[in-house]
Structures are given as structure tokens and as C-alpha cells.
Amino acid sequence: KGGVAYIMKTEHQLDLPRRLQIEFSAVVQRVTDSEGGEVSPAAMWDYFQDEYLPNPAAPWGRFALRTIAQESTVDGETNVRVVIADRGAEVEIAGVGNGPIAAFCDALSSYGVDVRVLDYHEHAMSSGGDAAAASYLECAVGGRVLWGVGIDPSIVTSSLKAVVSAVNRAERDGIETD
């Protein structure tokens, strides 16, 4: 039971924040309660992907991130223009904030999606110039608090993917996001 964080870190290079560890442990516990037995590291990765990381070949959820364009001023605002797929239809949205995540949340809000970031963690998954970044965002979506996860070579893209992950998880669980 205490091995979820250890396995995710040693086997998959994901250093999950404590509250995300607790949330994901409950996911794993539900599986072991219904299916019984131990969970292998490979199966744990499958459960994690199913819960937090939509596969581009078989995406789940209402939204998918397509493109991101941002413009920032030092010590000023950040503007983002994002193309998202909403149930397959591509839509361009724009927002302004004190950084790309806040600007993206503003853009989603203008599109009718209620999401606020409560906590944020990120890290490189390896060393070197080609390292991927993992972002973990605790979000309030439609009155529920849950985590989203994003992985991408770009820290900005991984962060926005994490917001999309949280919103999609809320939608999948039947929570109104607007």
C-alpha cells in the first residue's frame, strides 16, 4: 500500500506530490478490492495512464490540447491562444493571466469551463536537454478537487496538459464543469 509512490518514482520517474499519492492510492485500492491480489509495476502504470494520461491514440475526456501560442511581458501579463479539441471539434480560445497556466484557466473560463489551480508541482523526469517534464496540478473543477497530470518535453505544455487532465477527469466522473 505504501509502495505506490516508490514504484511510480523508481519505475516511471514520477515523483508524485503527497496528496496525489493519496488520491492515486485510492484508485489502486479500488482495483485490488474488486480484483484482488497484488498490483505489478506495469499494471500500476496502466492504471495511472488510464486515470490521468489520455493516450493520443485512444483519448478519453471531452478536451484535448492541440496548439499553444503565448506572449508574455517580463513582470507583466501572459496571453495565450490555445486550440483545443472539444469532443473532436477544434476550437480556439484565448486568455490572459499572470502566467501561462492562469491564462489558460482564463481561456477555459471564457469557454464556460470552471477550473481553478490550487497547487502545482513539476520536475524533470531525467537529466539532459531532451528530458520530459512532469506536471501535477491540483484543481478545483466544478466544485470538486482533483489532480491532473501532464507529461511533455515543454514544461508549459505539460502544465496545460495537467489542467486538461483534471477537467477531463471531472467530466468523466459526471461533474459539471461550468
Side-chain angles (χ1 to χ4, degrees):
K1 298 192 188 290
V4 168
Y6 176 79
I7 289 171
M8 294 305 291
K9 186 169 186 170
T10 59
E11 298 285 327
H12 306 292
Q13 295 71 52
L14 295 177
D15 191 6
L16 306 181
R18 181 68 182 135
R19 289 189 309 274
L20 176 55
Q21 292 173 23
I22 293 166
E23 183 183 278
F24 182 56
S25 292
V27 171
V28 173
Q29 187 65 48
R30 281 194 302 273
V31 172
T32 58
D33 286 350
S34 66
E35 298 177 8
E38 293 291 315
V39 176
S40 71
M44 190 176 297
W45 176 245
D46 289 343
Y47 300 146
F48 189 83
Q49 284 185 297
D50 288 346
E51 189 66 26
Y52 299 99
L53 302 171
N55 176 343
W60 52 260
R62 177 178 171 186
F63 297 108
L65 200 54
R66 296 289 190 240
T67 66
I68 304 163
Q70 76 174 36
E71 184 177 286
S72 301
T73 58
V74 175
D75 299 325
E77 295 181 330
T78 298
N79 295 282
V80 297
R81 281 186 337 278
V82 178
V83 174
I84 56 172
D86 182 355
R87 295 183 179 100
E90 291 195 355
V91 178
E92 183 173 317
I93 58 176
V96 178
N98 65 353
I101 297 169
F104 182 53
C105 289
D106 180 60
L108 287 171
S109 176
S110 72
Y111 192 66
V113 177
D114 175 30
V115 59
R116 290 177 296 113
V117 174
L118 306 174
D119 199 3
Y120 170 85
H121 299 265
E122 57 86 10
H123 64 84
M125 295 177 66
S126 62
S127 61
D130 61 348
S135 297
Y136 315 99
L137 277 76
E138 185 178 37
C139 298
V141 183
R144 180 169 170 214
V145 175
L146 64 171
W147 286 86
V149 178
I151 297 174
D152 195 86
S154 161
I155 191 66
V156 170
T157 303
S158 73
S159 298
L160 302 192
K161 283 181 175 181
V163 172
V164 170
S165 169
V167 170
N168 282 345
R169 290 184 66 228
E171 294 254 341
R172 182 179 60 192
D173 292 348
I175 297 166
E176 289 293 321
T177 58
D178 49 4

